[in-house]
Amino acid sequence: MAFTIALEILAIFIVYLSNLNYLDNLKASSIDKINYIRIDQEEQIRQWLLKEQNTSSQISNSSDVKRGIEALNKSKGNEIEVVRVSNNLKSIFGRIIKSNQEIDSMLLFEATGKVIAYADGEAVQKPNSSYEKIQTMIRDSNLYITSKNDDSISSFFYLTIKDNQPVIAFVNPTFDGLGNRFNVLINVKTDQINQLVINNNLKTDTDSYLIGSLNGNPALIFGELQGVVSRESIPTNLVIENALLRQRGAGFYKNYADVNVVGSYSWFAPLNIAIISEVNQDKALSVSNRIFRNMILISTGLVILITFIFYFIVRQRIQTITRISDIALSVSQDNFDARFPTGYNDEIGALGIALNHMLSRFRRFRQQVLDPKDISLNSEIDQYGELLHSFIEITSEGFTFLDTNNLILRINSNFAEIISTSIADSLGVTYEEVFPEKLSEAVRNMQVNSQETYQVKFSIPYQGNYVAFLSNVFRKITNDLDQIHLLGKVIVVYAEHKTDNLIESNKYALVETSLNKDRQELSQKLSMPMISLLGFLKLTKKKLEDTIFPKLASTDIKTLKNIQQIESNLESMIAEGTQLAKSIKEAFCEDEGANKGLQINKRSRFYVDEVLKNIAINAEKLFASKSSKLILENDAPLAVIETDREQFEYIINLLLARLAQNREFRTALVQTKVIDGRATIVIGKVNSLLTRSQVSSVLSNLTYLCQLKGGNSKLTKGMGLLNIQKMLSEYGGNITVEWVDSNRESYKFYVLTFLARS
């Protein structure tokens, strides 16, 4: 092993040195590549500027513009004619802007700075635009000074701001027949140049942007953040500052987003802004990382191969040790007649002799242990253990056993169903995580008061009252000191109405059976017709409300009165029949469980989403205390069910509490949706490392599984869900347990279904 580790370290060191040299070359190549991308970006922008300058010059010297200027020259002295010619020029400019989507606005001004005509792409239809603001801008800007002092006929362009957006203004001189100079200014939108930058970024997988200062305001001119921004929010770092100082450079640095990049920057004189091109350093050096990783894998493979070769060579040299190992394995498999080799005059031979002596002593000890009397005693103990195991499963009482550390070692299915927990989830955990609070308090009091037995009464909501009997279990070790050891606690739970004295119960069993039979026969004769009548009335009322009444004309007052009278009569009959059935029950003292169909259920209709959100407020605190989180999703926010709201909240809280005790996964899910006309609530836990798409896939598989089975999965006793299923069945609901496999893990979900109401 030491040889393998040393060889692996040496291989990694050699690969690391080789990768350093390659990385230096790759960095130099990355800088050359980003410089080329930045230069190519500059050239594309320059070509676009030349094209647009040529286009603007052609527009400025077009025949329509020339005729307008000539007409303007002829109309001097006639103000009405000047206004008419200016409007004609404005119309000409408007047509040009409409035909060329790249142009933002156009204006014509004299050498004195006076604006003669102006048209804007967003305001072409406005007939009487004021030129005062535009004339002030022309007179006060460098443009006015440049056009006034420059007698050449060449055009020029510059970057400016219009409506808080960058535009490129192309100024083209034009002259009338008398040699008077006029200037046509065409503001061109920067959408195309911005698209050039974005397309180049996508093509080269880089991030290029143009940044500068316009009219004293810092601006990110082109790129994904195009537009003038405030000085406080402009991205800045040392590279941007150097570029704005008209410097040029390239290298590895952190950009304004604090990301390591390979960048190149320079000053673009035609527009007086800086061009910066950057590429993520990880992408630029990904080749080096990939090669380094592959070389590590190859070297590791070679080291493993060399290690195996070395191992087989060494194994050939130590055949004796291998033989001793095989004999030792044979001894571990109860072959106590084997003997270790001793025919070697070295340490191996001495080891074989010592091992043979040890094996002989072990054989004698084993013979003493396997005495027939001891075998008979062990067999008898095993039989008693099997009988006890069978008894606690067939008995009607709940049974559990706690060890000395208060961990649950054994729990039967009756106990699991009484406290609504699962046998699998209960084994190996402390009683405080599973037992009801009053039963847990009884265990604590028994320990504090050093009592050997204890009895307590407790109740389970919507089930009934129970009595628990707790007793310590001891083991006596017969020796010189007669020591007694505590093995744990046995807890037996039974319903409160169950007779404690079994002898008295047997004594009066026949009498009670006879009386009960007579009462039951008489009760059935009275109650069965009443139950049938109540069932018929309820079905009739539901049929009228769901099918017949909605089809009747709602505008007919007489019909509405008749509907109300029918509903009132049915409700009165159902209420009186229910009261009569209740009186029959009280008169014959029937067991509460036999007449659940006659009890008045506190049914109400409510939105599932509303109740689950209220439950989630407290449940999130519970899961947070267990280092877990709860995700509540509702794909059916308008789903309505009809049931006992308090009982519904109790069931959901109980299932969430069971989930919180499960520490295998950290993310709990509660999702509501409507499947085949039934409101379905899915409750379960998944791995916190699953992505959102993986969680959606798990839930989709669960939905498919539910549709395939149709909610017919049977619950087995011991899952702790039979009482919940019994409560839900009173309202047409059900609960099942479904398992979904994902990423080699299996997730358990509780699926509750209810009839969806409209």
Side-chain angles (χ1 to χ4, degrees), residues 316-373:
Q316 293 297 324
R317 299 297 182 93
I318 55 172
Q319 290 292 333
T320 305
I321 297 177
T322 303
R323 186 179 175 188
I324 291 175
S325 175
D326 294 337
I327 295 175
L329 180 61
S330 176
V331 172
S332 68
Q333 296 174 352
D334 297 336
N335 182 17
F336 300 110
D337 295 327
R339 289 188 61 83
F340 293 94
T342 58
Y344 303 95
N345 297 322
D346 53 11
E347 292 81 4
I348 301 298
L351 176 63
I353 294 172
L355 290 175
N356 283 329
H357 283 299
M358 292 174 59
L359 186 57
S360 298
R361 291 188 177 185
F362 181 78
R363 281 196 295 266
R364 288 195 298 270
F365 176 74
R366 184 171 181 271
Q367 290 175 357
Q368 295 175 359
V369 172
L370 296 179
D371 186 81
K373 295 180 180 179

Side-chain angles (χ1 to χ4, degrees), residues 468-628:
F469 182 79
L470 298 79
S471 176
N472 288 331
V473 179
F474 298 94
R475 178 188 179 189
K476 183 178 181 180
I477 301 177
T478 304
N479 52 24
D480 295 338
L481 300 178
D482 287 341
Q483 296 178 347
I484 296 178
H485 289 277
L486 176 66
L487 297 180
K489 293 180 179 63
V490 173
I491 302 175
V492 180
V493 176
Y494 53 89
E496 186 179 16
H497 64 79
K498 188 178 183 66
T499 305
D500 293 332
N501 193 328
L502 296 179
I503 298 177
E504 292 295 325
S505 177
N506 293 330
K507 183 177 180 180
Y508 297 103
L510 294 175
V511 178
E512 285 294 327
T513 302
S514 177
L515 291 176
N516 287 336
K517 184 176 180 181
D518 293 339
R519 285 200 299 266
Q520 288 177 1
E521 290 178 356
L522 183 58
S523 173
Q524 289 178 357
K525 290 180 180 180
L526 293 176
S527 61
M528 289 303 295
M530 184 58 63
I531 294 174
S532 301
L533 179 60
L534 285 175
F536 174 76
L537 291 175
K538 290 179 180 179
L539 289 175
T540 303
K541 183 175 181 294
K542 185 176 184 302
K543 185 70 175 178
L544 291 172
E545 291 177 346
D546 295 345
T547 306
I548 299 176
F549 288 163
K551 296 181 179 180
L552 299 178
S554 59
T555 56
D556 188 351
I557 297 176
K558 184 177 181 181
T559 302
L560 290 176
K561 288 183 177 180
N562 291 334
I563 290 173
Q564 292 175 356
Q565 184 64 39
I566 293 172
E567 289 180 340
S568 177
N569 292 338
L570 286 174
E571 289 176 356
S572 177
M573 293 169 68
I574 291 172
E576 292 177 359
T578 303
Q579 183 62 37
L580 180 58
K582 185 177 180 182
S583 300
I584 294 173
K585 170 199 164 185
E586 293 174 351
F588 288 93
C589 299
E590 291 182 346
D591 185 65
E592 182 179 357
N595 286 310
K596 284 188 177 179
L598 301 178
Q599 291 179 352
I600 302 175
N601 295 320
K602 297 186 295 182
R603 293 194 181 194
S604 63
R605 292 191 179 187
F606 54 86
Y607 290 101
V608 179
D609 181 48
E610 176 187 352
V611 178
L612 290 180
K613 285 181 178 178
N614 294 333
I615 294 174
I617 295 175
N618 294 326
E620 287 175 350
K621 299 178 182 178
L622 173 62
F623 281 96
S625 65
K626 304 292 183 181
S627 300
S628 301

Side-chain angles (χ1 to χ4, degrees), residues 367-535:
Q367 290 175 357
Q368 295 175 359
V369 172
L370 296 179
D371 186 81
K373 295 180 180 179
D374 295 333
I375 294 175
S376 176
L377 178 60
N378 291 333
S379 176
E380 188 176 355
I381 292 174
D382 292 340
Q383 291 178 2
Y384 283 131
E386 292 179 1
L387 288 173
L388 179 61
H389 174 75
S390 301
F391 171 75
I392 65 174
E393 285 301 330
I394 64 174
T395 182
S396 60
E397 286 79 14
F399 173 89
T400 187
F401 180 77
L402 307 181
D403 67 1
T404 55
N405 296 319
N406 291 323
L407 299 179
I408 299 176
L409 293 185
R410 183 66 184 165
I411 180 173
N412 71 345
S413 56
N414 288 330
F415 195 97
E417 293 298 339
I418 289 173
I419 63 175
S420 295
T421 189
S422 169
I423 294 178
D425 294 339
S426 301
L427 297 178
V429 302
T430 61
Y431 70 89
E432 293 178 330
E433 298 181 13
V434 178
F435 288 2
E437 179 59 32
K438 199 161 185 179
L439 186 56
S440 298
E441 184 180 354
V443 177
R444 289 193 294 268
N445 292 338
M446 184 177 177
Q447 293 174 341
V448 172
N449 300 327
S450 300
Q451 295 177 261
E452 294 187 4
T453 59
Y454 198 92
Q455 185 171 337
V456 65
K457 294 183 179 181
F458 65 95
S459 62
I460 302 294
Y462 301 102
Q463 288 183 227
N465 299 324
Y466 294 90
V467 177
F469 182 79
L470 298 79
S471 176
N472 288 331
V473 179
F474 298 94
R475 178 188 179 189
K476 183 178 181 180
I477 301 177
T478 304
N479 52 24
D480 295 338
L481 300 178
D482 287 341
Q483 296 178 347
I484 296 178
H485 289 277
L486 176 66
L487 297 180
K489 293 180 179 63
V490 173
I491 302 175
V492 180
V493 176
Y494 53 89
E496 186 179 16
H497 64 79
K498 188 178 183 66
T499 305
D500 293 332
N501 193 328
L502 296 179
I503 298 177
E504 292 295 325
S505 177
N506 293 330
K507 183 177 180 180
Y508 297 103
L510 294 175
V511 178
E512 285 294 327
T513 302
S514 177
L515 291 176
N516 287 336
K517 184 176 180 181
D518 293 339
R519 285 200 299 266
Q520 288 177 1
E521 290 178 356
L522 183 58
S523 173
Q524 289 178 357
K525 290 180 180 180
L526 293 176
S527 61
M528 289 303 295
M530 184 58 63
I531 294 174
S532 301
L533 179 60
L534 285 175

Side-chain angles (χ1 to χ4, degrees), residues 691-735:
T691 63
R692 192 66 179 174
S693 59
Q694 289 173 327
V695 173
S696 300
S697 176
V698 170
L699 294 176
S700 298
N701 293 338
L702 178 62
T703 301
Y704 172 75
L705 190 63
C706 293
Q707 291 175 332
L708 187 65
K709 293 184 177 181
N712 294 325
S713 300
K714 293 184 178 180
L715 300 178
T716 59
K717 192 175 182 181
M719 298 176 67
L721 299 175
L722 294 181
N723 286 321
I724 295 177
Q725 188 181 52
K726 190 175 182 181
M727 286 187 280
L728 294 177
S729 63
E730 296 180 9
Y731 309 101
N734 193 21
I735 182 171

